[in-house]
């Protein structure tokens, strides 16, 4: 398949998923409300209590992880449940579909993460950031990694529905190293102004992203045909 | 449309070690039509899925020759259009959106005018801006025809083509069948004699899982 | 209708004038003076706008719930139009309360937001309104949208009292202890009370005026106008 | 419909959902993933940090809420998506279906809460419980209330689009009073050994459960038909 | 089986304020059959759904009399069995499980033997322990018949009854139809003349949304 065509098709899949999620002009408000809601939960449950920085980092990522959870599964499961996956299979090859959905998950999660973090910083007392760039880098890498993991897990779950395998359960632990690393990076960002301070974490995150995507690329082709 | 031929060699499909059919072979060339008949559960849809490479056969091969050069399995879909009960369209989109979305995903480049023409061909013109969720069974079936027909595929696979269609819809289906047989190939999986009669050759599946009759 | 508008206009102008012109003095010497309310002082004037706003946003919600119930009873789409219009206005007033409140909070409590019970309850009301419209917008078929929105409004309606009842027990309030409270202890003099009440009435009138406009507009948009208020 | 019949049918619906879940393991997978991951995050980011009891209580319930959000929506959504809801409508009236699914959700969430709390108590340092019975009562009442609210909202969501994000958005404002109360009760349980100490909260929780279920009972019929 | 009669008075259904049909009335008594015909999208399925009280009409009423006393709308389902394309069975369960689950949910009390008999009646006996997910379209349709027939309902609603069925399946459907007409009522929504012919009375929908023809 020609390079241009490939990009074009990936974009098409992405556009389809986006407009299916953002069916109405209010849908964005729904996303915004979603972040506000998840955030308020923290606020309400902690009232006035003050918590140490690394806890803040942890909480922030619990929220982001939840956001990923509620978005991820739908990408593939709906296609399976409604039998539209066959239509896709008759229209293109596996790769652009996977990357289209990956792109969708990544951007959706990036948007959520951004709004979430900004709000968090605004309203949560004691969430002070020393190294802004460290934070941005960490958030970006972490989100991309998380979205990648979510996407392939979602694909696995979708299949598991049809066959009741244990694949998903086995695949869960793979998000842990990512989260733990990114939390450490975030904590660093809150205590240490220098960007380089978390360079070790960056490297881990980067390699994680590379590995998970390479693996997904291979695995997904198997899931796709059968 | 390319000059395309497809041939199946000794196809066999087992589901958890129970054979559904075996030894199914046929050759189809431009202008040829094949009917796959057999009782419920004899493997008609399974065979069609295999031909469309939606399923991989337990043994045997499906090969496609476009303008003299073989088409790799993962790209066969480009020359195939399919209409089937288990093939679903996107309910949250309108008829028009479904066409444009699938067209773009196919890497096609049709214009809005083309979409309109397709939809009025299946007489959904008036409903093109309605969500498919609100469509009646027959209207969904018509939309599937529009989708399958859009790329003018060399090979048209029809599984139970009359399902949900009213008299006018069936007429539409038949004219479409005639157009297609002129330049391409058609395979129909059906329970109805009428469908078998309009096809030049037939395979009937079932009866202890071995295919009776042969390709053209 | 015209007359009503004019009266409303004059009424509100009067309220505003009284609210700002009348001085606040330690001990009353004239009918036109306000007493000092401990903890509010000059800021007492907020009462005349901020409380009515809050009150109206609650009213909006109640009206919406009322018509929600009526819709489920009779399944007349017109009730849904009323319900959603009321909710829309409620949302607006709710936002205004939060805004005015927040601004005042900055000056009297030092920060824009401090999770005071009333702030909290109004904030949750905001969330409910938001959720309500998010839900509406995610459904295309009219009848379905109407039904589900109504159901949600009702579910939210029955849980609201819990908020009002739970919040104060959990969060200590920065708000001046209720000026109008159940014990009938009123720390305003008659003038203040009159102005306050007229402001309350004025805003309520304003609400219902805009509301009727919105309803008529919505009816036209939905391509069908039925007779009735 | 005769009382016995009613119970029997509710049980039948419940049994159906249970065995279906045990086959597809959709919710179980989601819950497993969520519990494991979030707990590890908490554990990791709390390491040395000492946080006030109230925060622990809050955190525990944030987790339970999120878990409910990612696990309980399925009950009605699958029936809608796969068109099996019509089969149910042709087979019985609304009430037993609702209570069957409610029962399913309650038990699912109860199981989850138990696991979550035990694990939490085990792995998170500084989560000491004074009044065990207070805790149990709070957890039980809180879970039942949360499950009830989630069920009716889930029934709503099943008819809407953009469910992934909409579910928590609709649920949160409804369950907030419940959460705040139960968090208070949990905090009490961690500080005060006497069971009566939180009797006020019990009463609130109980009445919440009663009210939400009464309301659900009344409105579900409208969601059901149409 | 009770002695039951059903009657529809001046039914009308709008979607988004667009009328699909209006002024549809009919009376059906024991031993009577009604065919609902019309082009795709004319409202046949909608009408059936309304009769089954799966949808509420915009105006008009459907009333059922069992042994002289009226049946409240929410309990009509007890006397109704339905087979339709949009009616789905549980794919993660086996054929047998589907029967027992639905039976229990209906509050019925059939024995395993009954289930077996039903399944062999629709000739799914050999496949009773297979998951419905693995069924062919026709096998699913047969299972739907078994489910609808289980309670021996007074009123049988068939939407496109021949869909997916092979010759033998259609024969099965026809005998079932004959049995039913002897003691109960049947309403068929169909696109096919054969179905219309086997019914005593007919309604044809469509054509500017008003119903032509009347009940028996
Ligand atoms: C974000 C900030 C604020 C919000 C959201 C807010 C919201 C509310 C609400 C919802 C009420 C109840 C109205 C009713 O009972 O119908 C209220 C009452 C009131 N607020 Fe605020 N408020 C805010 C800040 C302030 C500030 C800064 C002051 C003055 C220093 C203030 C003074 C009052 C007074 C005097 C009342 C009337 C109390 C009573 O009548 O019982 N509020 N506010
Ligand atoms: N939920 C809905 N919202 C809006 N319109 C709907 C909805 N359901 C059905 N319609 C419309 O009502 C009309 C009748 O639909 P229905 O399914 O009853 O047709 P039908 O007679 O069964 O057609 P077919 O022969 O194709 O089954 C169609 O035009 C359809 O678009
Ligand atoms: N995923 C699967 N797993 C196991 N068995 C399957 C699967 N899919 C199909 N089968 C079996 O293969 C056989 C053929 O199925 P198929 O759908 O091809 O039949 P068909 O000829 O299309 O029947 P119909 O006329 O009803 O459509 C059936 O017995 C079916 O049970
Ligand atoms: Mg088939
Ligand atoms: Mg129909």
């Amino acid at each position: 398949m020609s390079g241009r065509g490939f990009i074009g098709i990936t974009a098409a899949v992405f556009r389809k998923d986006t407009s299916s999620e953002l069916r109405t002009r209010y849908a964005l408000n729904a996303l915004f409300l979603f972040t506000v809601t998840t955030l308020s939960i923290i606020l309400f449950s902690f009232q006035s209590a003050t918590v140490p920085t690394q806890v803040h980092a942890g909480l922030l990522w619990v929220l982001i992880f939840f956001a990923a959870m509620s978005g991820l599964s739908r990408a593939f499961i709906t296609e399976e449940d409604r039998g539209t996956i066959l239509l896709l299979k008759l229209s293109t090859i596996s790769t652009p579909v996977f990357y289209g959905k990956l792109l969708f998950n990544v951007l959706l999660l990036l948007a959520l993460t951004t709004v979430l973090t900004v709000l968090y910083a605004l309203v949560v007392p004691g969430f002070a950031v020393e190294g802004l760039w460290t934070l941005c880098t960490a958030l970006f890498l972490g989100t991309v990694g998380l979205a990648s993991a979510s996407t392939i897990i979602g694909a696995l779950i979708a299949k598991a529905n049809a066959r009741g395998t244990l694949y998903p359960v086995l695949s869960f632990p793979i998000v842990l190293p990512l989260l733990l690393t990114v939390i450490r990076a975030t904590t660093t960002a809150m205590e240490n102004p220098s960007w380089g301070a978390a360079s070790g974490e960056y490297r881990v995150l980067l390699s994680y992203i590379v590995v998970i995507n390479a693996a997904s690329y291979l695995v997904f082709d198997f899931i796709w045909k059968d | 449309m390319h000059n395309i031929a497809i041939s199946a060699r000794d196809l066999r499909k087992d589901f958890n070690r129970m054979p559904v059919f075996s030894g199914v072979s046929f050759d189809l060339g431009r202008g040829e039509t094949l009917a796959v008949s057999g009782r419920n559960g004899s493997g008609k849809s399974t065979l069609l899925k295999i031909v469309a490479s939606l399923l991989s056969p337990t043994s045997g091969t499906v090969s496609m020759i476009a303008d003299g050069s073989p088409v790799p399995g993962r790209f066969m879909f480009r020359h195939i259009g399919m209409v089937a009960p288990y093939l679903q369209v996107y309910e949250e989109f309108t008829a028009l959106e479904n066409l444009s979305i699938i067209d773009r995903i196919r890497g096609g480049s049709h214009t809005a005018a083309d979409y309109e023409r397709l939809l009025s061909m299946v007489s959904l013109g008036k409903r093109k801006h309605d969500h498919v969720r609100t469509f009646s069974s027959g209207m969904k079936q018509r939309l599937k025809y529009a989708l399958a027909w859009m790329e003018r595929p060399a090979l048209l696979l029809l599984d139970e083509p009359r399902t949900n269609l009213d008299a006018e819809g069936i007429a539409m289906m038949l004219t479409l069948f005639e157009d297609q047989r002129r330049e391409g190939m058609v395979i129909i999986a059906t329970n109805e004699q009428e469908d078998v009669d309009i096809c030049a050759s037939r395979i009937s599946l079932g009866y202890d899982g071995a295919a009776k009759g042969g390709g053209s | 209708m015209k007359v009503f508008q004019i009266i409303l206009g004059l009424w509100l102008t009067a309220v505003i004038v009284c609210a700002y012109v009348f001085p606040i003095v330690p001990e009353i010497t004239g009918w036109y003076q306000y007493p000092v309310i401990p903890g509010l002082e000059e800021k007492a004037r907020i009462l005349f706008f901020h409380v009515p706003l809050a009150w109206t946003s609650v009213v909006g919600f109640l009206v919406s719930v009322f018509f929600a119930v009526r819709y489920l009873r009779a399944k007349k789409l017109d009730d849904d139009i009323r319900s959603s219009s009321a909710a829309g206005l409620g949302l607006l007033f709710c936002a205004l309360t939060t805004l005015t409140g927040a601004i005042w909070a900055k000056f009297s409590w030092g920060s824009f937001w401090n999770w005071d019970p009333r702030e909290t309850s109004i904030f949750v009301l905001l969330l409910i309104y938001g959720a309500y419209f998010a839900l509406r917008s995610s459904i295309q078929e009219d009848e379905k949208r109407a039904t589900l929105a109504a159901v949600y409004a009702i579910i939210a309606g029955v849980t609201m009292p819990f908020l009002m009842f739970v919040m104060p027990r959990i969060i200590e309030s920065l708000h001046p202890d209720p000026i109008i409270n159940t014990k009938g202890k009123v720390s305003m003099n008659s003038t203040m009370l009159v102005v306050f009440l007229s402001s309350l009435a004025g805003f309520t009138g304003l609400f219902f005026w805009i509301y009727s406009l919105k309803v008529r507009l919505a009816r036209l948009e939905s391509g069908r106008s039925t007779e009735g208020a």
Side-chain angles (χ1 to χ4, degrees), chain A, chain B, chain C:
Chain A
M1 180 166 297
S2 79
R4 226 208 97 284
F6 177 82
I7 303 293
I9 292 167
T10 311
V13 174
F14 168 73
R15 277 220 297 286
K16 166 193 144 311
D17 279 12
T18 317
S19 45
S20 144
E21 177 73 28
L22 311 184
R23 194 64 281 222
T24 62
R25 63 200 153 89
Y26 290 102
L28 281 173
N29 307 12
L31 288 184
F32 177 74
L33 271 173
F34 176 81
T35 53
V36 172
T37 303
T38 44
L39 200 63
S40 333
I41 298 164
I42 300 287
L43 291 173
F44 281 116
S45 44
F46 286 7
Q47 309 297 347
S48 49
T50 55
V51 295
T53 49
Q54 86 227 39
V55 174
H56 275 303
L59 287 181
L60 183 59
W61 279 98
V62 171
L63 294 187
I64 297 177
F65 177 66
F66 174 67
M69 283 275 302
S70 26
L72 74 94
S73 40
R74 301 184 65 257
F76 286 105
I77 286 181
T78 45
E79 304 272 4
E80 283 287 344
D81 278 2
R82 304 180 305 169
T84 48
I85 190 85
L86 288 182
L87 194 59
L88 282 181
K89 287 182 177 176
L90 279 171
S91 311
T92 183
I93 56 175
S94 60
T95 334
V97 174
F98 180 75
Y99 284 114
K101 290 186 178 293
L102 175 62
L103 191 62
F104 172 71
N105 281 348
V106 166
L107 291 191
L108 184 64
L109 200 55
L110 268 180
L112 286 176
T113 311
T114 317
V115 182
L116 208 63
T117 317
V118 171
L119 286 178
Y120 199 99
L122 283 182
V123 299
V124 176
F127 179 78
V129 178
E130 289 298 321
L132 185 57
W133 287 116
T134 320
L135 184 69
C136 295
T137 321
L139 285 177
F140 179 78
L141 293 177
T143 309
V144 173
L146 186 54
S148 317
S150 313
T151 312
I152 189 67
I153 293 180
L156 286 170
I157 291 182
K159 276 301 171 185
N161 273 346
R163 257 190 254 86
T165 61
L166 274 171
Y167 276 138
V169 183
L170 298 179
S171 65
F172 292 161
I174 66 182
V175 291
L176 269 181
L178 172 83
L179 286 170
L180 300 189
T181 318
V182 77
I183 288 173
R184 206 180 304 112
T186 315
T187 320
T188 318
M190 294 171 66
E191 291 158 350
N192 187 332
S194 94
W195 184 82
S199 51
E201 280 75 10
Y202 303 153
R203 240 174 275 114
V204 178
L205 293 176
L206 264 180
S207 38
Y208 181 93
I209 294 175
V210 173
V211 171
I212 194 80
N213 279 304
S216 312
Y217 176 84
L218 299 176
V219 174
F220 186 72
D221 212 41
F222 285 112
I223 303 179
W224 179 257
K225 70 164 102 78
D226 86 5
Chain B
M1 186 173 306
H2 312 280
N3 185 350
I4 289 194
I6 190 164
S7 76
R9 282 279 152 278
D10 195 22
L11 290 176
R12 171 201 181 86
K13 182 64 178 178
D14 301 356
F15 283 115
N16 31 44
R17 295 200 198 67
M18 297 287 297
V20 175
F21 55 72
S22 61
V24 176
S25 308
F26 61 82
D27 296 275
L28 226 55
R30 182 169 186 166
E32 295 180 329
T33 56
L34 172 66
V36 181
S37 67
R39 33 218 317 273
N40 290 144
S42 56
K44 303 183 291 297
S45 304
T46 307
L47 181 55
L48 256 63
K49 285 179 189 161
I50 290 175
V51 172
S53 61
L54 293 173
L55 268 181
S56 35
T58 309
S59 72
T61 60
V62 176
S63 56
M64 189 183 261
I65 312 287
D67 308 326
S69 59
V71 182
R74 56 201 301 262
F75 289 136
M76 283 188 190
F77 70 85
R78 291 189 190 164
H79 309 288
I80 294 179
M82 190 169 189
V83 175
Y86 39 85
L87 195 67
Q88 298 301 329
V89 291
Y90 290 100
E91 304 231 315
E92 72 268 37
F93 291 113
T94 69
L96 211 52
E97 287 169 332
N98 266 284
L99 284 175
S100 66
I101 285 172
I102 291 302
D103 184 31
R104 279 200 251 94
I105 290 183
R106 283 204 187 121
S109 57
H110 293 276
T111 66
D114 300 337
Y115 304 145
E116 307 261 343
R117 204 172 316 109
L118 275 161
L119 285 178
S120 50
M121 178 188 84
V122 296
S123 51
L124 284 177
K126 280 199 226 57
R127 304 297 298 270
K128 57 173 179 283
H129 289 306
D130 292 0
H131 289 258
V132 174
R133 186 185 316 105
T134 71
F135 275 16
S136 79
S137 53
M139 293 157 73
K140 283 179 188 151
Q141 180 75 348
R142 288 157 184 263
L143 181 56
K144 290 182 195 172
Y145 273 101
L147 281 166
W149 190 238
M150 180 160 52
E151 283 292 313
R152 293 316 218 79
L155 172 58
L156 196 58
L157 301 175
L158 305 179
D159 197 340
E160 309 186 24
R162 291 166 199 256
T163 318
N164 308 128
L165 292 179
D166 59 12
E168 182 243 11
I170 290 177
M172 180 271 293
M173 185 273 279
L174 289 174
T175 45
L176 198 143
F177 175 86
E178 287 308 325
D179 286 11
Q180 175 68 15
R181 81 151 4 127
R182 221 169 284 118
E183 302 156 339
M185 304 169 277
V186 188
I187 303 182
I188 301 184
T190 183
N191 295 310
E192 303 182 39
Q193 194 52 40
E194 298 94 319
D195 293 330
V196 177
D197 298 339
I198 58 176
C199 291
S201 58
R202 73 176 280 183
I203 292 179
S204 75
L205 298 174
Y207 321 108
D208 67 56
K212 298 272 166 301
S216 60
Chain C
M1 204 60 206
K2 263 268 161 289
V3 190
F4 175 72
Q5 288 172 38
I6 296 161
I7 296 176
L8 188 63
L10 295 175
W11 185 278
L12 282 174
T13 342
V15 168
I16 295 169
V17 169
C18 304
Y20 278 118
V21 172
F22 292 0
I24 293 185
V25 296
E27 61 285 320
I28 313 287
T29 57
W31 63 269
Y32 55 84
Q33 293 173 325
Y34 298 146
V36 173
I37 298 167
L40 278 179
E41 292 83 31
E42 274 300 320
K43 305 190 208 72
R45 306 186 189 278
I46 182 187
L47 234 82
F48 301 130
F49 306 102
H50 157 82
V51 182
L53 277 176
W55 150 268
T56 341
S57 61
V58 175
V59 167
F61 184 66
L62 295 181
V63 174
S64 171
V65 172
F66 172 78
F67 282 111
V69 174
R70 241 181 60 169
Y71 174 79
L72 291 184
R73 281 261 182 76
K75 293 274 180 187
K76 281 217 236 48
L77 275 172
D78 195 52
D79 290 328
D80 177 58
I81 290 176
R82 292 158 172 276
S83 181
S84 55
S85 310
L89 266 184
L91 178 58
L92 178 69
F93 281 90
C94 200
L96 285 178
T97 320
T98 322
L99 212 66
T100 56
I103 294 166
W104 276 89
K106 182 64 178 169
F107 292 115
S108 45
W109 302 335
S111 77
F112 283 108
W113 200 264
N114 358 42
W115 297 115
D116 166 282
R118 282 219 195 71
E119 294 180 20
T120 313
S121 48
I122 211 75
F123 173 71
V124 176
L125 192 56
L126 262 180
L127 284 184
I128 289 180
Y129 277 130
Y132 175 85
F133 282 108
L135 175 65
R136 287 190 73 88
S137 62
S138 75
I139 307 166
Q140 279 82 26
E141 298 86 354
D142 292 349
E143 296 83 359
K144 211 193 223 179
R145 188 197 301 117
T147 311
L148 297 187
V151 166
Y152 186 68
I154 291 172
I155 294 284
V158 296
T159 49
M160 268 313 252
F162 280 93
L163 275 178
M164 303 306 177
F165 167 50
V166 167
M167 287 306 168
R169 297 181 73 245
I170 293 185
I171 316 164
E172 70 292 349
S173 174
L174 289 165
H175 263 82
D177 18 325
I179 298 168
I180 349 140
N181 51 25
T182 45
K183 289 170 234 62
K185 154 184 149 296
V186 175
S187 57
M188 311 192 238
N189 70 344
S190 50
T191 322
M192 201 171 194
L193 196 56
V194 168
V195 178
F196 173 76
L197 292 180
S198 10
S199 161
L200 217 53
F203 273 90
T204 317
L206 187 67
F207 172 85
F208 280 103
W209 176 53
I210 309 179
Y211 167 69
S212 64
L213 289 184
K214 257 182 85 73
V215 169
R216 269 188 288 158
L217 187 68
R219 279 187 192 140
L220 293 181
E221 278 170 353
S222 75
R224 119 192 199 289
S225 71
T226 36
E227 65 296 314

